[in-house]
Amino acid sequence: MPRTSPLHPFTVLALAAAATATTVAIGRWWLSVAVLLACLLLAAWARRARRLAGLAVAILAPAFGSQLLIHSMADAAGGHVLAAAGPLRITAEGLATAGALGLRTGVLVVAGLLCTLLIDRHDLIAAVDLSPAPPQLGYLLAATLLLLPALEQRQRAIGQAQLLRGATLGGGPRGWFRRVRLRSVPLVLGALQDAADRSAHLAARGFPAAGPHTRLRTVPDSAAQRRVRRIALACIVLGPVAVLAPTWAGAA
Amino acid sequence: MSTGPNRVLGLELARFRYSGASRDTLSGINLSLAPGSLTVVLGDSGSGKSTLGAVLAGMLPRHDGDALDATLHLAGQRIRHRPGAAVRIDPVGWARQVGLLPQDARHYLSGVRATVAEELALGLENAGVPRAQMHRRIAALADRLELHALLDRDPAQLSGGQERLVALAALALDTPTVLVLDEPLAGLDAAAAARICEMLDRLRSGGTALVLLARAVDRLTAGADTVLALRAGSCHELDTAVPADPAPLAPAVRGAPGTPDEVLLGFSGVGIGYPGSAHPVVECLELTVRASECVGLAGPNGSGKTTVLKAAAGLLRPSAGQVHGKSLAAGTVGLLLQNPSDQLFERTVAREVAFGLPRRGPAAARIPAVLDSLGLGEHAQAHPYELPASARRLVALATVLVREPEVLLLDEPTEALDAHGLALLHAALAVVLDRGGAVLLATHDEAFMAATAHRVHRMGPAVAARVRDRTGGPG
C-alpha cells in the first residue's frame, strides 16, 4: 500500500514550493539534479517511485523536446558548433541552455507531482476546511479532487455493463477510440444526473457550510510544523531575491 | 391524522406539476403529522410518492417552472406556495425539521468524505458541532445500529444495503422532527432491517414523526397511525388495518426443475478477491445451477452476493477454483445489475435494448416482443431516465432478456419494482425456466425468494467488510 506524508498538507506544499523557488532561482544543474533525486527518494519511501517516474516522463519528455528544438537545434548565438546542416546549428551553448532549462522545468514538475502523491487528498480538503479560507474553496477543492476517482469508478461500471451487452472494443488505437466514444457520452450524462440528484441533499446537509464549521477528521499539525511553514514561506519570497539580487546589482 | 396545534408538519396540497409536464403529478393531498406518528403512503411506481416526499422535504418546487399550489405548516410557520410564486426555502433550516431518505440512498451520500464516520458527521460538521461531541454521537449511533465495522470503510465502496443503512444513520444523527423515508428497507438484509425498524421505533418514541413511502405493506407499515393510498397523484385514506406480515407471493414461477443433470453454471472451490485486499470476498464457493432451476443467493449485506454474480457473468476472475458450465462456454449468461442506472446509457428505451446487438440478427428482431412482454412498448421512444423507477428497472431487464440468456443472473431484482412490475418479472422468469434456462438471483426479498427459488444458497457473514471493492462493492 502506498504511504502518504504524516505532515500537515500545507507543510508539504510550503516545503515543496520553497525548494522549487530556490532551486530555480539558483539555476545550478547539480542542485536541480540533487532536488530531483531527493524527490525520487521520497517517492520511493511512499512506494510511488514508478508512478512518479512515469508521470514525470509523460509530462517532461515533450517539454524537454521543445527546449531542445528551440535552444539547441537552431541556436544562432553559440560559438562551439557541434554540427550544422543548412539553417540548423547544434552548439554546445545551446545544449547547455536547453539542459539547464529542462532541469528547472523538471524540478517544478517533479516537486508538484510528488506533492500529489505524498498528500492525502482528504487531509488536504480538511486542512482547507479548517483554515480561515472561505468554505467555498474547500467545496471546490473537494469537487475537483474527488471528481476524477468518481468518474473512473463510473466509467468502469459503464464498461462492465457494455461488456455484458456484447460491446466488442478490440485492441490498439481503434479499440481505444471506440471505448472513449462508447463511454464518454453516458459518463458525462451520468455525472450530470448524479450531480443533480445529490445537490439537493448536499444543500440540505448544509454543504458547503455557510458559517462556522468543524471537521471530524484531524489533520496532523504542531507548533514546529507551523514554524517550518513560516520559514518556508519566507524562503519562497526571500530565497530567489537573495540569489538574484547580486545579479541585478551587477547589471545595474 | 392530527389537525390541531399538536402537529409538527401539515400539508394542504391542491396540485403540483413539474416544469414542462402536461399534467399534474400530485393533486388534492392533505397531511397532518403529529409528533411520534407513523404515516404510510402506499403507491405503485410512478404514482407520485417520491414527488410527495420531495415536497414535504422542501426540495420541490424548483425555481425553474415547477407549479405548486399548497400550504405547509412547519415549526409554527405557514408557508404558502402559489404557481409562479413559490416561496424560497432555506434547505438547511428545512432539513433540520424534515429529513428525506431518497429511494436511491446513494444520492444522500455526499461522495466527498473518506470514511463512513466522516460521512455521518457531514451535517454536524457544517452546523459547527465540536469534534468531541461528534465522536460521542457517532459512537452512540454506531452502538445502536451495530455500525462499528463500517465506520472506517470508504462510503464509495459499500454494498447497496450498506449505503441505505449509512444514509439512514446520517439522517437519524441530525434528529429532525419529521423523517420521510422512501422505501427504507429495500436491499437490507434481515438483521439490518431489524436494526432499522428498532431505530425508527426509538425515533418515534422520541417524538419524531415518520412518513413512510412504500410500494406494498411490510413490517415497517405495521402500527401505522394512518395509511394512505396514492393513485395517480391523489391520496385516499385506507380504512383497513395493515397486516403485520403480508402473505408471501404465490409460487407462480417455481415448478419442478427440469433436466437435472445438465449443469449450466457451476462454482468449484471458487475464491474471489479484489486488488489491494488482503482477504478474499468469497472463499471456497461450491454451487451448481442446473437447467430449469432457479437458485437463490441469500446472505447479509456485504457477504459477496454481487461478487458471485459478477464472477458468473465473467466480469471478475476467481483467484481460486473454477467457474464452469455449459452456458459459460456458449457465452449465454445475462446479468441484471442491482442499480439500473449502471446499466442504462442510451437516449431511448429502444436504442438501449438494441445496444450491442447485430442490427439484422434474431435478437434485434425480438426487441418489440420483449418490450411488450415487459409493458414497455409504449415507452420505446422515451428516455430511460424519464421513466418511473419500476419501469427503468424493467428496461434494464429487457436489455438482458432480449439476448435470451441460458443463465439469467439477477441482483436484487425486486428493488424499485411495483406490483405490476413484479408480476412481469415473475412471468419473465417463468419463460426463462420453461425454455430450459436457469436463474441465479441474489435478494433480501424473502417473499420473492420463497416464490421463485427452488433452493437457496446462504452466503456467510461479511468477510467482505474488511475488503476494498474497487468495482462497486460486494453485495
Side-chain angles (χ1 to χ4, degrees):
Chain A
M1 290 287 286
R3 293 180 190 158
T4 51
S5 161
L7 299 175
H8 191 286
F10 291 170
T11 308
V12 178
L13 288 172
L15 286 173
T20 306
T22 311
T23 309
V24 169
I26 291 173
R28 298 273 186 260
W29 69 266
W30 49 268
L31 184 59
S32 299
V33 170
V35 171
L36 288 174
L37 281 175
C39 288
L40 203 61
L41 282 174
L42 281 170
W45 169 83
R47 297 173 185 147
R48 306 296 293 272
R50 288 177 67 177
R51 176 110 177 123
L52 178 68
L55 286 171
V57 167
I59 296 171
L60 287 174
F64 195 62
S66 70
Q67 302 280 11
L68 274 178
L69 277 175
I70 294 165
H71 297 289
S72 169
M73 301 288 284
D75 180 38
H80 293 88
V81 179
L82 303 175
L88 297 178
R89 296 167 77 239
I90 298 179
T91 64
E93 291 85 351
L95 277 179
T97 307
L101 289 175
L103 279 172
R104 287 187 206 183
T105 314
V107 168
L108 195 69
V109 168
V110 171
L113 286 173
L114 182 66
C115 287
T116 67
L117 299 177
L118 284 181
I119 296 173
D120 182 315
R121 58 181 191 270
H122 288 287
D123 276 351
L124 179 60
I125 295 164
V128 172
D129 281 343
L130 294 170
S131 74
Q136 287 80 1
L137 185 64
Y139 172 74
L140 274 178
L141 194 67
T144 309
L145 292 179
L146 303 173
L147 180 67
L148 277 182
L151 285 180
E152 191 186 349
Q153 198 170 354
R154 173 103 186 133
Q155 75 88 18
R156 199 179 294 126
I158 291 169
Q160 286 189 341
Q162 291 179 339
L163 200 66
L164 287 170
R165 310 260 289 277
T168 47
L169 302 170
R174 281 188 67 183
W176 186 84
F177 275 112
R178 191 169 154 73
R179 187 178 302 117
V180 168
R181 186 176 64 79
L182 279 176
R183 293 185 189 178
S184 52
V185 174
L187 186 64
V188 172
L189 291 181
L192 290 174
Q193 181 76 33
D194 199 49
D197 288 334
R198 283 181 201 260
S199 60
H201 297 285
L202 279 173
R205 298 174 79 186
F207 185 82
H213 53 278
T214 51
R215 283 298 304 262
L216 186 71
R217 172 174 283 247
T218 49
V219 185
D221 204 4
S222 62
Q225 283 199 61
R226 283 189 285 275
R227 269 197 299 276
V228 168
R229 288 204 290 273
R230 278 196 289 272
I231 294 168
L233 285 176
C235 283
I236 292 168
V237 179
L238 298 178
V241 172
V243 171
L244 297 173
T247 320
W248 295 333
Chain B
M1 281 194 288
S2 171
T3 52
N6 186 29
R7 68 176 171 189
V8 285
L9 175 63
L11 169 71
E12 292 138 31
L13 184 146
R15 66 182 192 90
F16 173 80
R17 181 179 297 198
Y18 281 107
S19 170
S22 57
R23 64 178 181 84
D24 294 339
T25 305
L26 299 174
S27 60
I29 296 175
N30 289 304
L31 281 178
S32 186
L33 310 177
S37 63
L38 172 59
T39 304
V40 175
V41 180
L42 294 173
D44 281 345
S45 188
S47 61
K49 294 193 305 293
S50 297
T51 304
L52 176 59
V55 169
L56 291 172
M59 293 177 182
L60 288 175
R62 298 161 300 180
H63 290 268
D64 59 355
D66 292 344
L68 175 63
D69 188 355
T71 303
L72 287 115
H73 302 268
L74 179 68
Q77 292 189 53
R78 181 175 178 274
I79 302 110
R80 179 81 179 104
H81 289 281
R82 289 193 179 283
V87 179
R88 198 165 281 277
I89 300 286
D90 164 27
V92 181
W94 196 279
R96 282 196 193 115
Q97 303 293 328
V98 186
L100 169 67
L101 174 74
Q103 194 169 39
D104 186 344
R106 279 199 298 189
H107 298 154
Y108 188 81
L109 304 181
S110 68
V112 295
R113 289 295 184 257
T115 65
V116 166
E118 289 179 65
E119 181 65 50
L120 293 175
L122 184 74
L124 302 178
E125 289 175 340
N126 294 324
V129 175
R131 185 178 288 143
Q133 196 181 333
M134 285 194 281
H135 276 296
R136 271 199 306 277
R137 287 171 69 174
I138 290 170
L141 186 75
D143 281 341
R144 285 205 303 274
L145 293 175
E146 299 172 31
L147 284 177
H148 288 288
L150 292 181
L151 288 182
D152 292 329
R153 296 274 304 275
D154 179 352
Q157 293 170 351
L158 299 176
S159 73
Q162 288 166 337
E163 281 172 345
R164 189 166 293 271
L165 196 62
V166 170
L168 255 172
L171 271 167
L173 203 60
D174 293 337
T175 55
T177 47
V178 179
L179 263 181
V180 182
L181 308 167
D182 200 344
E183 309 271 359
L185 299 186
L188 290 185
D189 62 51
R195 290 202 297 274
I196 291 297
C197 291
E198 189 191 327
M199 181 180 78
L200 295 179
D201 280 345
R202 191 176 286 126
L203 285 168
R204 266 186 87 187
S205 22
T208 303
L210 302 179
V211 178
L212 186 64
L213 309 174
R215 282 172 288 136
V217 291
D218 59 23
R219 60 196 298 183
L220 259 185
T221 57
D225 300 298
T226 310
V227 181
L228 301 166
L230 193 60
R231 288 188 214 105
S234 297
C235 263
H236 310 271
E237 194 158 348
L238 293 182
D239 296 329
T240 51
V242 177
D245 291 306
L249 290 168
V253 175
R254 190 172 55 187
T259 326
D261 295 330
E262 193 173 23
V263 174
L264 296 186
L265 177 66
F267 297 81
S268 303
V270 166
I272 310 166
Y274 289 97
S277 153
H279 306 278
V281 183
V282 176
E283 282 179 298
C284 302
L285 176 67
E286 299 285 346
L287 177 67
T288 51
V289 183
R290 298 172 190 281
S292 300
E293 188 180 36
C294 179
V295 178
L297 280 178
N301 294 123
S303 59
K305 299 185 296 297
T306 300
T307 304
V308 170
L309 295 179
K310 285 187 173 177
L315 295 178
L316 296 175
R317 188 170 295 177
S319 50
Q322 192 189 10
V323 184
H324 56 89
K326 184 186 157 207
S327 63
L328 287 184
T332 54
V333 174
L335 168 62
L336 176 71
L337 297 168
Q338 181 171 6
N339 192 333
S341 58
D342 286 344
Q343 209 155 352
L344 303 177
F345 33 75
E346 283 285 359
R347 58 178 181 269
T348 68
V349 169
R351 286 175 64 99
E352 191 69 65
V353 180
F355 180 89
L357 298 177
R359 282 189 186 174
R360 295 179 197 284
R366 280 196 295 271
I367 293 173
V370 169
L371 289 180
D372 286 342
S373 72
L374 293 173
L376 296 168
E378 62 184 279
H379 301 303
Q381 296 310 315
H383 194 292
Y385 277 77
E386 288 172 356
L387 299 178
S390 181
R392 212 156 51 217
R393 193 91 175 113
L394 292 172
V395 174
L397 180 63
T399 67
V400 180
L401 292 179
V402 76
R403 295 164 189 280
E404 292 198 337
E406 266 196 320
V407 174
L408 180 60
L409 308 166
L410 304 171
D411 196 358
E412 296 291 350
T414 59
E415 246 188 66
L417 279 189
D418 57 21
H420 179 59
L422 195 59
L424 293 168
L425 173 65
H426 276 283
L429 298 195
V431 169
V432 172
L433 297 178
D434 283 349
R435 68 162 185 261
V439 177
L440 178 62
L441 59 92
T443 182
H444 294 295
D445 187 335
E446 294 289 343
F448 179 73
M449 185 86 91
T452 54
H454 295 104
R455 60 191 166 88
V456 177
H457 180 88
R458 302 223 168 252
M459 309 274 296
V463 180
R466 305 190 299 260
V467 175
R468 296 184 64 213
D469 178 353
R470 291 175 184 278
T471 64

